[in-house]
Amino acid sequence: MDTSESSSTTGNEAVDGAVTGAVEGKEPAGPDVPERPRRRGWRRWAMDTRPLRIPAYRRLWSSTIVTAVGSQLTAVAVPKQIYDITGSSAWVGYASLAGLLPLVVFALWGGAIADRVDRRRMLLVTNSGMAITSVLFWVQSITGLESVAVLMVLLALQQACFGLNSPARNASVARLVPAGELAAANALSSTVNQTGLVAGPLLAGALIPVIGLSELYLIDAFALCVTLWAVFRLPALPPLAGAAARAGGLRAIVEGFRYISLHKVLLLSFLADIIAMVFGMPRALFPQLAAQTYDSYGEGLALGLLFASIPIGAVLGGLMSGTFSRARRHGLMVIVAIAGWGVAVACFGLSRNLWFAAVFLAAAGVADMVSMVFRGAILLSAATDEMRGRMQGVFTVVVAGGPRLADVLHGTFGSVFGARAAVTGGGLLVVAGALVLAFSTPALRTYRV
């Protein structure tokens, strides 16, 4: 990463130019940053860090490093506290559902709002809401309230704030980086988030015996303060000229869905993710597989390894994103990645060796990273700026809802046909779905940035 004075100055001027274009009503494709010489040797395989030359994006991405871990501390603390109070895993599941409805509703609404207001200001408000919620989690914990109802209300509030925040945050990236670097920017962000999925729970497990559960909430609140400072230093991101300066409502949400229906590449990108997650996400069967198929390795070891393998693979894929992030055929990359995910999941279902199973799940994680990178890039490049917030709102709903539907589907079929048959069958269905998407309509297959 080039942090020299000349590079920093160029990045600032580029960001200013993008913001000026937004104010004048033009459709900026992100700042115009000079292309670096083609990388040679091992560097061409490593993570593509071009977007980090842009100061505004670098600040936003750097704050994600902190919050990716901090948010996972709360994600571990809430179910742990609920289980300690109730002694029931069922209540942990109910709490997850309690957070799903606010996430869905406010992600759709937040996407509509993000297309009508200054996204920087919206990020400041919603990050403040999440920080306050984390403080309230800490207060109820240190006071010994032990109320599941309070925890579920706070979880619903937190997910509502996240639903409002996520579309504005993701839609802002296209105003900060050039169109040709959107895939690289998505790879950087996704790698950090996946790293948080691995490091956050491990850190929480190490900290709880030392500092206690309550302080995890407080650490998350401090992490969100770092994000607030980074967002405060972003340039203003007002709506482009022509976007009505009114609050997003039901009509704006409906307009977003109509927009998706009229743009096949957007519709197919959402459908690709739904196929991959609903049919191919086997996490609900991990406990059964750990207890029945891989019990000879130790149930605890097997369960931990199964849950960790996909995010570990995703992190490795992000670290090697230089191998694919410069590809311009984004639609074809999505189809190949979805098919690769299905093949890896099917091979995992057929494996009786735990270490081979972990390798196949890690390969699935690499494919998932590639899919995330290019689906995200398609949403940012194929949609106009006045629709990007709503597209990101729908994206948030799909990403959150797909795995939960997969839990129900795999749990049901796993109990009837057996866990390995359900996993293998699901993986093969994903491959079939990817092939149908590839050959039934050319819109996704032929899409280029």
Side-chain angles (χ1 to χ4, degrees):
M1 181 176 66
D2 184 4
T3 58
S4 65
E5 182 68 26
S6 59
S7 174
S8 178
T9 301
T10 301
N12 279 313
E13 291 172 351
V15 172
D16 292 341
V19 175
T20 301
V23 173
E24 293 175 352
K26 302 174 184 177
E27 171 66 30
D32 184 16
V33 179
E35 184 69 22
R36 280 183 173 179
R38 186 175 297 277
R39 297 186 296 180
R40 300 177 182 275
W42 67 270
R43 288 177 59 83
R44 65 179 177 175
W45 302 95
M47 178 179 287
D48 188 348
T49 59
R50 289 175 296 161
L52 295 180
R53 289 176 289 157
I54 304 166
Y57 177 77
R58 186 166 64 242
R59 295 185 191 109
L60 190 65
W61 180 82
S62 299
S63 69
T64 305
I65 297 175
V66 180
T67 54
V69 176
S71 63
Q72 287 304 308
L73 298 183
T74 295
V76 170
V78 171
K80 174 69 168 64
Q81 190 177 359
I82 290 176
Y83 185 80
D84 288 345
I85 294 172
T86 65
S88 169
S89 295
W91 276 104
V92 176
Y94 299 151
S96 178
L97 291 177
L100 177 60
L101 181 59
L103 176 62
V104 170
V105 172
F106 284 92
L108 295 176
W109 186 38
I113 296 174
D115 289 333
R116 297 291 185 258
V117 302
D118 185 328
R119 288 171 185 156
R120 171 181 171 274
R121 186 176 301 172
M122 185 173 178
L123 289 173
L124 287 172
V125 172
T126 53
N127 277 304
S128 297
M130 288 191 288
I132 292 171
T133 305
S134 294
V135 172
L136 292 176
F137 270 123
W138 173 68
V139 170
Q140 63 81 32
S141 181
I142 62 170
T143 56
L145 192 59
E146 294 193 351
S147 171
V148 174
V150 170
L151 280 166
M152 293 176 76
V153 168
L154 290 176
L155 181 62
L157 179 60
Q158 180 200 55
Q159 292 300 296
C161 290
F162 177 78
L164 291 169
N165 177 275
S166 185
R169 184 183 184 90
N170 293 334
S172 298
V173 174
R175 297 272 290 274
L176 301 177
V177 302
E181 297 181 11
L182 288 176
N186 283 332
L188 286 164
S189 299
S190 298
T191 301
V192 167
N193 288 327
Q194 292 296 321
T195 302
L197 290 177
V198 178
L202 292 176
L203 183 61
L207 288 178
I208 288 176
V210 179
I211 64 175
L213 184 145
S214 303
E215 280 64 29
L216 297 186
Y217 298 125
L218 200 57
I219 294 173
D220 188 18
F222 283 121
L224 286 163
C225 290
V226 174
T227 299
L228 278 170
W229 174 243
V231 171
F232 179 77
R233 299 188 65 194
L234 291 179
L237 298 169
L240 298 179
R246 64 178 184 274
L250 181 59
R251 181 178 177 181
I253 295 173
V254 173
E255 287 175 355
F257 281 106
R258 185 181 298 118
Y259 187 85
I260 293 172
S261 69
L262 295 175
H263 293 74
K264 282 188 177 180
V265 67
L266 295 174
L267 181 63
L268 292 172
S269 69
F270 286 123
L271 184 58
D273 187 45
I274 291 171
I275 289 173
M277 289 298 101
V278 172
F279 295 123
M281 173 53 79
R283 67 182 185 184
L285 296 174
F286 287 169
Q288 183 178 348
L289 288 166
Q292 297 178 0
T293 304
Y294 307 117
D295 57 311
S296 61
Y297 296 87
E299 186 174 345
L301 171 65
L303 186 61
L305 193 58
L306 293 178
F307 271 106
S309 293
I310 291 178
I312 287 175
V315 172
L316 292 176
L319 294 176
M320 297 185 298
S321 61
T323 60
F324 57 82
S325 63
R326 294 173 187 266
R328 301 187 67 84
R329 300 191 65 178
H330 289 186
L332 181 62
M333 292 298 292
V334 169
I335 292 172
V336 171
I338 296 298
W341 164 271
V343 170
V345 169
C347 291
F348 161 62
L350 294 172
S351 176
R352 289 186 175 275
N353 182 285
L354 176 62
W355 304 109
F356 282 140
V359 169
F360 288 130
L361 285 177
V366 173
D368 188 40
M369 171 61 71
V370 177
S371 173
M372 283 190 292
V373 165
F374 289 106
R375 280 186 292 107
I378 287 173
L379 289 181
L380 291 174
S381 61
T384 59
D385 188 74
E386 65 178 9
M387 284 289 177
R388 284 184 183 131
R390 277 164 281 189
M391 297 305 99
Q392 294 301 324
V394 176
F395 179 75
T396 300
V397 171
V398 170
V399 169
R404 287 176 170 86
L405 291 176
D407 290 344
V408 176
L409 189 65
H410 281 78
T412 302
F413 279 89
S415 62
V416 176
F417 300 106
R420 296 177 67 235
V423 172
T424 304
L428 294 176
L429 285 174
V430 171
V431 175
L435 293 176
V436 170
L437 284 180
F439 295 106
S440 63
T441 176
L444 183 62
R445 185 182 74 247
T446 60
Y447 179 79
R448 294 173 181 263
V449 64

